[in-house]
Amino acid sequence: MSCDFELGHYRELLAAAKTGGYRFASFDHEPAAGDLLLRHDVDLSLDAALTLAEIEAEKGAQATYFLMTRSVFYNLASPEGERALGRLRELGHRVGLHAVYPGLELDERFDPVVAWHNPDPEFMRERLDGAVNVMQPGYFDPDHYRSDSNQHWRNGCPHEELAAGSIEWLQLLTHPEIWAYPGATMRETMLAMLDAERARDLERLAADRIDLT
Ligand SMILES: [Zn+2]
Ligand SMILES: [Zn+2]
């Protein structure tokens, strides 16, 4: 098995979790033995989020998607954004807020759970009023956490440990863009994403009655 950041290997990760006997849990209780918390920080692309969300639903997996309200890359308040939110719920996933410090506008679109975007260490793990911070004590500790940041596993791809059931519980942070678009490096993946976005933008322009003839 090769640990590429590709959809095929994402499916293998989900299969490994099943083999290992993990439960797909969410951030409504502190993780217990056997819990796997699939966390997705959606930094760049709702399309990529939906791609992963469909695959997870097919495989009987539930995840929590953390969406931004003030992203420069997508607009959650647009019809596309609203459709994406609705589809994530329909597929059985949870939706939390991916917040940029110190802005915390946790409205009714979100479950009471927050993941900070690019946080500074001093407030990264602070508890919040009325919501769970995914990095607060009880939900996060370094031995039970893996992240694919910038297409690089700091502590290795967890598929073997998941399949063996050897990790007590795990918060697994993945960024959908990294998996939904091909590329051997973050740069290549981002270029593939931009190619796809260009095609989507052309569709958006046509839908906006822009003359492209
Ligand atoms: Zn792997
Ligand atoms: Zn982020």
Side-chain angles (χ1 to χ4, degrees):
M1 199 179 291
S2 85
C3 293
D4 296 329
F5 293 91
E6 307 281 348
L7 293 176
H9 195 46
Y10 193 74
R11 287 192 180 88
E12 288 169 343
L13 275 166
L14 296 177
K18 288 230 156 153
T19 305
Y22 290 91
R23 278 184 306 275
F24 297 102
S26 52
F27 293 87
D28 54 3
H29 63 273
E30 289 192 2
D35 282 346
L36 173 61
L37 294 98
L38 295 177
R39 165 184 164 199
H40 300 297
D41 288 2
V42 182
D43 291 335
L44 305 172
S45 163
L46 293 173
D47 284 349
L50 289 174
T51 299
L52 255 70
E54 299 280 349
I55 289 172
E56 287 161 343
E58 257 167 49
K59 301 281 177 196
Q62 289 85 42
T64 307
Y65 284 81
F66 291 87
L67 303 181
M68 304 177 85
T69 52
R70 291 167 173 258
S71 168
V72 293
F73 295 102
Y74 62 82
N75 181 0
L76 199 59
S78 71
E80 272 181 39
E82 287 177 351
R83 270 201 302 277
L85 248 165
R87 185 65 184 150
L88 290 171
R89 296 283 190 193
E90 226 169 69
L91 291 169
H93 301 302
R94 307 292 180 106
V95 178
L97 176 66
H98 197 33
V100 181
Y101 191 81
L104 196 64
E105 294 150 345
L106 199 62
D107 58 50
E108 69 290 344
R109 291 174 293 181
F110 304 100
D111 293 351
V113 56
V114 173
W116 292 116
H117 177 68
N118 293 341
D120 287 345
E122 70 265 27
F123 57 75
M124 184 167 83
R125 306 194 56 191
E126 270 174 28
R127 289 175 190 276
L128 306 167
D129 283 342
V132 167
N133 171 0
V134 295
M135 301 301 272
Q136 78 185 39
Y139 286 85
F140 168 85
D141 84 70
D143 293 336
H144 298 87
Y145 177 77
R146 297 289 169 88
S147 152
D148 66 351
S149 293
N150 268 306
Q151 207 157 322
H152 174 73
W153 294 110
R154 220 164 293 166
N155 294 301
C157 175
H159 80 255
E160 277 176 19
E161 290 139 286
L162 286 175
S166 62
I167 219 162
E168 188 197 12
W169 61 267
L170 184 66
Q171 179 184 149
L172 180 60
L173 167 58
T174 52
H175 296 79
E177 304 86 9
I178 291 176
W179 300 83
Y181 298 107
T185 62
M186 191 66 179
R187 178 184 166 81
E188 283 179 18
T189 302
M190 291 297 95
L191 292 175
M193 181 185 77
L194 291 175
D195 286 346
E197 286 291 324
R198 187 171 193 279
R200 291 280 283 122
D201 277 342
L202 282 166
E203 289 170 19
R204 289 172 182 131
L205 287 168
D208 210 40
R209 301 182 190 167
I210 300 297
D211 183 3
L212 298 170
T213 57

